[in-house]
Amino acid sequence: DKDVPTAPWRSAMTLPRELALQGIKGQAWLCAPVAREVDAVFIPLSLPLPTGPVLKQDLGAVLADSGGRFRLRVCGQAKGSWALTLSNAAEDVWRLVYDAAVQQYWVDRSASGLVDFHHAFAACHVAPRISDAPETDVFLYADSASMETIADGGLTCITSVVFPRAPWTQMWVEGAVQV
């Protein structure tokens, strides 16, 4: 789209993937996990989070040398909803939510930074949870302009282009999950 606030690029590319078929409830599903080699260029965040219903973590020191590139793993019970929110000093917000009641993941980039360049950009994107495993297992790969959500071994994937006005420095976690 010519309105995207980038120059000279006009789009984003997803991370390299490995493709495989996985059987779920008698049906074959294509899963697309990120290629193992990609992990070498993303700093894994291992965070000692306090316990409680809403957890807040300052990522500033953890991400200081990351160049804005990191990966998180979020695991929780499939019967319980949870949310992960990233924010920054410019008050930009990006959210990843698992809604157990409807078995869906959704990403909200409506306040993720520069969003007013096109009427359809500030939006939520929804994808079904296909896995029947008792736990959700989600990897988030982030860099300065994209968030890749890879859930349940690549059965559910959401790529979200973002234009934050400052690096992500805060994280909130709601619900019973491990990060």
Side-chain angles (χ1 to χ4, degrees):
D1 189 293
K2 64 181 170 74
D3 296 327
V4 176
T6 60
W9 316 113
R10 292 287 175 237
S11 188
M13 293 178 60
T14 188
L15 295 171
R17 308 287 178 93
E18 296 178 6
L19 301 178
L21 291 176
Q22 184 173 341
I24 305 285
K25 297 179 186 171
Q27 290 187 316
W29 290 89
L30 179 66
C31 52
V34 171
R36 286 184 285 279
E37 294 82 359
V38 170
D39 286 341
V41 297
F42 283 85
I43 293 175
L45 295 187
S46 180
L47 304 170
L49 289 171
T51 58
V54 177
L55 311 173
K56 184 177 180 181
Q57 178 74 38
D58 183 348
L59 300 178
V62 177
L63 296 178
D65 297 325
S66 73
R69 189 180 314 134
F70 62 91
R71 70 181 153 95
L72 286 171
R73 184 175 190 183
V74 183
C75 300
Q77 293 297 314
K79 62 184 178 183
S81 297
W82 52 262
L84 180 137
T85 303
L86 296 176
S87 67
N88 61 26
E91 298 183 0
D92 302 333
V93 175
W94 180 89
R95 293 192 80 208
L96 167 62
V97 176
Y98 170 64
D99 186 338
V102 292
Q103 295 282 295
Q104 291 181 334
Y105 295 100
W106 56 268
V107 167
D108 180 357
R109 69 176 181 192
S110 63
S112 63
L114 300 176
V115 297
D116 60 355
F117 58 89
H118 191 277
H119 65 87
F121 188 82
C124 292
H125 299 101
V126 179
R129 180 170 193 261
I130 297 165
S131 176
D132 58 359
E135 292 185 347
T136 60
D137 187 10
V138 179
F139 282 90
L140 170 64
Y141 292 83
D143 68 19
S144 60
S146 67
M147 310 296 256
E148 295 270 3
T149 303
I150 312 297
D152 304 317
L155 283 168
T156 303
C157 303
I158 304 172
T159 299
S160 185
V161 177
V162 293
F163 301 103
R165 295 170 290 174
W168 304 114
T169 56
Q170 295 285 322
M171 178 178 70
W172 287 267
V173 179
E174 302 167 63
V177 293
Q178 294 180 340
V179 178

